[in-house]
PDB file of all heavy atoms in Angstrom:
ATOM      1  N   ARG A 153     211.403 188.360 121.952  1.00  0.00           N
ATOM      2  CA  ARG A 153     212.030 187.500 122.899  1.00  0.00           C
ATOM      3  C   ARG A 153     211.621 186.004 122.783  1.00  0.00           C
ATOM      4  O   ARG A 153     212.241 185.083 123.209  1.00  0.00           O
ATOM      5  CB  ARG A 153     211.801 187.946 124.368  1.00  0.00           C
ATOM      6  CG  ARG A 153     212.389 189.275 124.674  1.00  0.00           C
ATOM      7  CD  ARG A 153     212.093 189.649 126.137  1.00  0.00           C
ATOM      8  NE  ARG A 153     212.644 188.735 127.036  1.00  0.00           N
ATOM      9  CZ  ARG A 153     213.847 188.847 127.597  1.00  0.00           C
ATOM     10  NH1 ARG A 153     214.619 189.916 127.316  1.00  0.00           N
ATOM     11  NH2 ARG A 153     214.293 187.978 128.498  1.00  0.00           N
ATOM     12  N   ASP A 154     210.432 185.792 122.101  1.00  0.00           N
ATOM     13  CA  ASP A 154     209.950 184.463 121.901  1.00  0.00           C
ATOM     14  C   ASP A 154     210.418 183.881 120.579  1.00  0.00           C
ATOM     15  O   ASP A 154     210.013 182.768 120.230  1.00  0.00           O
ATOM     16  CB  ASP A 154     208.408 184.430 121.971  1.00  0.00           C
ATOM     17  CG  ASP A 154     207.881 184.853 123.339  1.00  0.00           C
ATOM     18  OD1 ASP A 154     208.505 184.454 124.312  1.00  0.00           O
ATOM     19  OD2 ASP A 154     206.870 185.537 123.332  1.00  0.00           O
ATOM     20  N   GLY A 155     211.265 184.618 119.874  1.00  0.00           N
ATOM     21  CA  GLY A 155     211.781 184.131 118.653  1.00  0.00           C
ATOM     22  C   GLY A 155     210.785 184.214 117.476  1.00  0.00           C
ATOM     23  O   GLY A 155     210.932 183.473 116.487  1.00  0.00           O
ATOM     24  N   ARG A 156     209.873 185.134 117.554  1.00  0.00           N
ATOM     25  CA  ARG A 156     208.881 185.301 116.469  1.00  0.00           C
ATOM     26  C   ARG A 156     209.158 186.573 115.729  1.00  0.00           C
ATOM     27  O   ARG A 156     209.540 187.595 116.286  1.00  0.00           O
ATOM     28  CB  ARG A 156     207.429 185.267 117.013  1.00  0.00           C
ATOM     29  CG  ARG A 156     207.084 183.945 117.624  1.00  0.00           C
ATOM     30  CD  ARG A 156     205.620 183.883 118.048  1.00  0.00           C
ATOM     31  NE  ARG A 156     205.296 182.540 118.598  1.00  0.00           N
ATOM     32  CZ  ARG A 156     205.045 181.466 117.853  1.00  0.00           C
ATOM     33  NH1 ARG A 156     205.079 181.522 116.535  1.00  0.00           N
ATOM     34  NH2 ARG A 156     204.800 180.318 118.459  1.00  0.00           N
ATOM     35  N   VAL A 157     208.962 186.522 114.423  1.00  0.00           N
ATOM     36  CA  VAL A 157     209.117 187.677 113.583  1.00  0.00           C
ATOM     37  C   VAL A 157     208.278 188.840 114.104  1.00  0.00           C
ATOM     38  O   VAL A 157     207.054 188.666 114.272  1.00  0.00           O
ATOM     39  CB  VAL A 157     208.806 187.416 112.100  1.00  0.00           C
ATOM     40  CG1 VAL A 157     208.973 188.628 111.238  1.00  0.00           C
ATOM     41  CG2 VAL A 157     209.781 186.300 111.564  1.00  0.00           C
ATOM     42  N   ASN A 158     208.890 189.957 114.326  1.00  0.00           N
ATOM     43  CA  ASN A 158     208.156 191.095 114.896  1.00  0.00           C
ATOM     44  C   ASN A 158     208.692 192.381 114.284  1.00  0.00           C
ATOM     45  O   ASN A 158     209.704 192.930 114.656  1.00  0.00           O
ATOM     46  CB  ASN A 158     208.396 191.119 116.422  1.00  0.00           C
ATOM     47  CG  ASN A 158     207.647 192.301 117.060  1.00  0.00           C
ATOM     48  OD1 ASN A 158     206.672 192.775 116.566  1.00  0.00           O
ATOM     49  ND2 ASN A 158     208.215 192.707 118.232  1.00  0.00           N
ATOM     50  N   GLY A 159     207.981 192.844 113.303  1.00  0.00           N
ATOM     51  CA  GLY A 159     208.396 194.126 112.602  1.00  0.00           C
ATOM     52  C   GLY A 159     208.859 193.849 111.189  1.00  0.00           C
ATOM     53  O   GLY A 159     208.435 192.948 110.511  1.00  0.00           O
ATOM     54  N   GLU A 160     209.695 194.732 110.757  1.00  0.00           N
ATOM     55  CA  GLU A 160     210.133 194.789 109.378  1.00  0.00           C
ATOM     56  C   GLU A 160     211.254 193.725 109.111  1.00  0.00           C
ATOM     57  O   GLU A 160     212.006 193.380 109.976  1.00  0.00           O
ATOM     58  CB  GLU A 160     210.599 196.184 108.950  1.00  0.00           C
ATOM     59  CG  GLU A 160     209.560 197.231 109.039  1.00  0.00           C
ATOM     60  CD  GLU A 160     208.481 197.072 108.011  1.00  0.00           C
ATOM     61  OE1 GLU A 160     208.733 196.369 106.979  1.00  0.00           O
ATOM     62  OE2 GLU A 160     207.386 197.647 108.194  1.00  0.00           O
ATOM     63  N   THR A 161     211.245 193.271 107.850  1.00  0.00           N
ATOM     64  CA  THR A 161     212.290 192.381 107.376  1.00  0.00           C
ATOM     65  C   THR A 161     212.813 192.912 106.083  1.00  0.00           C
ATOM     66  O   THR A 161     212.083 193.640 105.324  1.00  0.00           O
ATOM     67  CB  THR A 161     211.767 190.932 107.129  1.00  0.00           C
ATOM     68  OG1 THR A 161     210.756 190.969 106.157  1.00  0.00           O
ATOM     69  CG2 THR A 161     211.270 190.310 108.415  1.00  0.00           C
ATOM     70  N   SER A 162     214.064 192.654 105.776  1.00  0.00           N
ATOM     71  CA  SER A 162     214.636 193.230 104.522  1.00  0.00           C
ATOM     72  C   SER A 162     214.171 192.405 103.322  1.00  0.00           C
ATOM     73  O   SER A 162     213.771 191.250 103.454  1.00  0.00           O
ATOM     74  CB  SER A 162     216.198 193.199 104.610  1.00  0.00           C
ATOM     75  OG  SER A 162     216.662 191.876 104.642  1.00  0.00           O
ATOM     76  N   ALA A 163     214.295 193.000 102.182  1.00  0.00           N
ATOM     77  CA  ALA A 163     213.897 192.310 100.923  1.00  0.00           C
ATOM     78  C   ALA A 163     214.820 191.120 100.735  1.00  0.00           C
ATOM     79  O   ALA A 163     214.363 190.075 100.161  1.00  0.00           O
ATOM     80  CB  ALA A 163     214.014 193.335  99.766  1.00  0.00           C
ATOM     81  N   LYS A 164     216.126 191.226 101.102  1.00  0.00           N
ATOM     82  CA  LYS A 164     217.050 190.130 100.931  1.00  0.00           C
ATOM     83  C   LYS A 164     216.601 188.899 101.780  1.00  0.00           C
ATOM     84  O   LYS A 164     216.627 187.786 101.316  1.00  0.00           O
ATOM     85  CB  LYS A 164     218.420 190.585 101.330  1.00  0.00           C
ATOM     86  CG  LYS A 164     219.539 189.611 100.864  1.00  0.00           C
ATOM     87  CD  LYS A 164     219.622 189.755  99.323  1.00  0.00           C
ATOM     88  CE  LYS A 164     220.846 188.949  98.788  1.00  0.00           C
ATOM     89  NZ  LYS A 164     220.954 189.060  97.348  1.00  0.00           N
ATOM     90  N   ALA A 165     216.142 189.215 103.010  1.00  0.00           N
ATOM     91  CA  ALA A 165     215.702 188.125 103.865  1.00  0.00           C
ATOM     92  C   ALA A 165     214.489 187.426 103.261  1.00  0.00           C
ATOM     93  O   ALA A 165     214.345 186.184 103.311  1.00  0.00           O
ATOM     94  CB  ALA A 165     215.381 188.601 105.282  1.00  0.00           C
ATOM     95  N   ASN A 166     213.566 188.183 102.736  1.00  0.00           N
ATOM     96  CA  ASN A 166     212.403 187.651 102.100  1.00  0.00           C
ATOM     97  C   ASN A 166     212.786 186.797 100.830  1.00  0.00           C
ATOM     98  O   ASN A 166     212.190 185.795 100.566  1.00  0.00           O
ATOM     99  CB  ASN A 166     211.437 188.738 101.663  1.00  0.00           C
ATOM    100  CG  ASN A 166     210.789 189.395 102.875  1.00  0.00           C
ATOM    101  OD1 ASN A 166     210.529 188.715 103.861  1.00  0.00           O
ATOM    102  ND2 ASN A 166     210.482 190.683 102.760  1.00  0.00           N
ATOM    103  N   ALA A 167     213.820 187.246 100.152  1.00  0.00           N
ATOM    104  CA  ALA A 167     214.283 186.489  98.974  1.00  0.00           C
ATOM    105  C   ALA A 167     214.958 185.144  99.387  1.00  0.00           C
ATOM    106  O   ALA A 167     214.784 184.169  98.750  1.00  0.00           O
ATOM    107  CB  ALA A 167     215.293 187.278  98.199  1.00  0.00           C
ATOM    108  N   TRP A 168     215.611 185.156 100.522  1.00  0.00           N
ATOM    109  CA  TRP A 168     216.241 183.973 101.025  1.00  0.00           C
ATOM    110  C   TRP A 168     215.260 182.924 101.665  1.00  0.00           C
ATOM    111  O   TRP A 168     215.297 181.770 101.392  1.00  0.00           O
ATOM    112  CB  TRP A 168     217.323 184.276 102.067  1.00  0.00           C
ATOM    113  CG  TRP A 168     218.541 184.946 101.545  1.00  0.00           C
ATOM    114  CD1 TRP A 168     218.976 184.978 100.251  1.00  0.00           C
ATOM    115  CD2 TRP A 168     219.518 185.603 102.302  1.00  0.00           C
ATOM    116  NE1 TRP A 168     220.087 185.675 100.141  1.00  0.00           N
ATOM    117  CE2 TRP A 168     220.502 186.103 101.399  1.00  0.00           C
ATOM    118  CE3 TRP A 168     219.639 185.937 103.648  1.00  0.00           C
ATOM    119  CZ2 TRP A 168     221.576 186.813 101.805  1.00  0.00           C
ATOM    120  CZ3 TRP A 168     220.783 186.650 104.043  1.00  0.00           C
ATOM    121  CH2 TRP A 168     221.725 187.118 103.139  1.00  0.00           C
ATOM    122  N   PHE A 169     214.364 183.431 102.476  1.00  0.00           N
ATOM    123  CA  PHE A 169     213.503 182.600 103.232  1.00  0.00           C
ATOM    124  C   PHE A 169     212.032 182.571 102.836  1.00  0.00           C
ATOM    125  O   PHE A 169     211.215 181.814 103.375  1.00  0.00           O
ATOM    126  CB  PHE A 169     213.573 182.942 104.736  1.00  0.00           C
ATOM    127  CG  PHE A 169     214.945 182.929 105.307  1.00  0.00           C
ATOM    128  CD1 PHE A 169     215.666 184.069 105.563  1.00  0.00           C
ATOM    129  CD2 PHE A 169     215.559 181.735 105.614  1.00  0.00           C
ATOM    130  CE1 PHE A 169     216.973 184.043 106.061  1.00  0.00           C
ATOM    131  CE2 PHE A 169     216.869 181.684 106.130  1.00  0.00           C
ATOM    132  CZ  PHE A 169     217.553 182.859 106.384  1.00  0.00           C
ATOM    133  N   GLY A 170     211.709 183.403 101.887  1.00  0.00           N
ATOM    134  CA  GLY A 170     210.297 183.505 101.474  1.00  0.00           C
ATOM    135  C   GLY A 170     209.607 184.496 102.332  1.00  0.00           C
ATOM    136  O   GLY A 170     210.203 185.157 103.237  1.00  0.00           O
ATOM    137  N   PRO A 171     208.276 184.733 102.191  1.00  0.00           N
ATOM    138  CA  PRO A 171     207.560 185.685 103.019  1.00  0.00           C
ATOM    139  C   PRO A 171     207.661 185.357 104.472  1.00  0.00           C
ATOM    140  O   PRO A 171     207.574 184.210 104.881  1.00  0.00           O
ATOM    141  CB  PRO A 171     206.139 185.513 102.486  1.00  0.00           C
ATOM    142  CG  PRO A 171     206.241 184.957 101.112  1.00  0.00           C
ATOM    143  CD  PRO A 171     207.432 184.087 101.173  1.00  0.00           C
TER     144      PRO A 171
END
Side-chain angles (χ1 to χ4, degrees):
R153 292 180 65 91
D154 296 323
R156 297 188 177 278
V157 175
N158 180 25
E160 297 291 341
T161 60
S162 68
K164 197 68 172 180
N166 290 327
W168 288 344
F169 302 104

